Amino acid sequence: MKIQSVGVIGAGTMGNGIAQVCAVAGLDVVMVDINEAAVQRGLDQISKSLDRLIKKETLTTDEKAAALKRIKGSTSYADLKGLGFVIEAATENQAIKEKILHQIDEIVSKDTIIATNTSSLSITKLAALDSNPARFIGMHFFNPPPLMALVEVIRGLQTSDATHAAIIDMAKRVGKEPITVKNSPGFVVNRILLPMINEAFFVLSEGLASPEDIDAGMKLGCNQPIGPLALADLIGLDTCLAVIEVYFENFSDSKYRPCPLLREMVAAGYLGRKTGRGVYTYDK
């Protein structure tokens, strides 16, 4: 099955990024969110992102216009009818994702492939809620989708070979490098990354070094492009906490115990770049 039309649920950072990637690659996209304002914010963000690519001379103004023409903003799940593929890119919350996926399942045909962009939740468990579990798969893009090359393609226990092959093909067609991953909390990249970020918060809470020196140490000593605390601010401290809590709950292993400082900062609303304050402060 060759996918030509794509539905994206969520017009936030991940959703509009996925929509942009697909549209630039020549696919028709329907981007759905809860209200017109959210949809418009997503479309505006895509336009700004494409302008940055034009400035870098990796995209022309004509290509931008063509990509935007391929994206339809919508507040109605009914517009997903007839699409070959739908991916939800909502917030990392089991109940919210289950509700959205149920709505998608009721609208699309039984042949439509349904994916989730989850970074930690069980693909097998979500697939079990689908009327056709074999067509369900995980497709984890990384932030920001237009710039990050990797896509984790996660097979649930029920995912068919045909579904997997179609998504691998689609990922390559939109310019990404897919890796195939078995279903497990955090999959591969975040399974390694989030414990490192959590440990950086333990180091910070114990006063071993300043945030700047912790990040400088990992950048200069491990050749990382961004330090773990700055990365946590970029990801969102609430998202980091939610993911590490999934590990702690599912593996029942104390090595995944969330750092109390991370919990405290999330409780205070210090969520990182999106709130203007996390480990560091930012101009909003």
Side-chain angles (χ1 to χ4, degrees):
M1 174 184 176
K2 194 165 186 178
I3 295 166
Q4 299 292 352
S5 56
V6 174
V8 180
I9 309 300
T13 301
M14 295 306 296
N16 69 56
I18 294 168
Q20 175 183 323
V21 165
C22 292
V24 168
L27 301 179
D28 293 322
V29 180
V30 176
M31 184 174 68
V32 179
D33 213 316
I34 56 173
N35 55 51
E36 293 287 354
V39 171
Q40 191 58 52
R41 280 194 299 272
L43 292 170
D44 290 344
Q45 187 55 50
I46 292 170
S47 181
K48 290 175 186 175
S49 177
L50 293 173
D51 283 339
R52 287 192 290 270
L53 295 179
I54 291 171
K55 198 171 182 180
K56 292 178 182 177
E57 298 184 347
T58 58
L59 195 78
T60 67
T61 52
D62 286 346
E63 287 170 334
K64 174 191 173 180
L68 289 176
K69 195 173 181 180
R70 293 187 193 105
I71 303 171
K72 175 184 178 179
S74 175
T75 58
S76 173
Y77 279 71
D79 286 331
L80 303 176
K81 284 182 180 177
L83 301 182
F85 170 72
V86 178
I87 181 169
E88 71 78 21
T91 187
E92 193 71 356
N93 178 287
Q94 181 87 28
I96 291 173
K97 287 185 182 294
E98 287 181 3
K99 181 181 178 182
I100 289 171
L101 291 168
H102 177 69
Q103 289 176 277
I104 297 169
D105 191 24
E106 287 188 327
I107 289 289
V108 301
S109 77
K110 298 304 177 189
D111 296 325
T112 298
I113 294 175
I114 299 177
T116 174
N117 184 54
T118 181
S119 57
S120 64
L121 301 177
S122 170
I123 304 305
T124 296
K125 186 175 180 181
L126 291 172
L129 304 174
D130 196 278
S131 60
N132 180 17
R135 53 95 170 265
F136 194 85
I137 198 164
M139 194 178 190
H140 179 211
F141 286 81
F142 285 76
N143 188 19
L147 301 181
M148 299 295 281
L150 179 67
V151 172
E152 287 181 318
V153 177
I154 309 105
R155 298 188 67 153
L157 199 60
Q158 314 94 317
T159 305
S160 71
D161 290 343
T163 297
H164 174 254
I167 293 304
I168 290 290
D169 175 70
M170 178 198 165
K172 291 177 179 178
R173 283 168 56 213
V174 300
K176 300 305 177 187
E177 294 287 343
I179 62 172
T180 298
V181 180
K182 289 182 180 179
N183 184 60
S184 181
F187 316 127
V188 168
V189 175
N190 283 339
R191 171 79 176 272
I192 298 167
L193 177 65
L194 266 297
M196 183 192 72
I197 288 175
N198 193 46
E199 195 64 25
F201 275 93
F202 274 113
V203 169
L204 179 62
S205 69
E206 291 165 18
L208 300 186
S210 68
E212 292 81 4
D213 283 352
I214 292 168
D215 280 348
M218 294 304 291
K219 286 167 67 179
L220 301 175
C222 296
N223 205 28
Q224 294 184 352
I226 183 172
L229 297 173
L231 181 58
D233 277 355
L234 181 62
I235 295 169
L237 270 60
D238 52 339
T239 301
C240 292
L241 178 59
V243 173
I244 202 74
E245 283 179 329
V246 167
Y247 300 172
F248 190 45
E249 178 185 342
N250 282 270
F251 291 116
S252 300
D253 190 328
S254 61
K255 73 179 181 181
Y256 299 114
R257 177 175 68 93
C259 177
L261 176 61
L262 177 58
R263 287 190 187 279
E264 190 78 355
M265 293 181 72
V266 171
Y270 301 161
L271 307 184
R273 287 182 176 271
K274 60 188 173 185
T275 59
R277 180 171 179 179
V279 177
Y280 303 100
T281 55
Y282 305 89
D283 294 327
K284 286 209 71 182

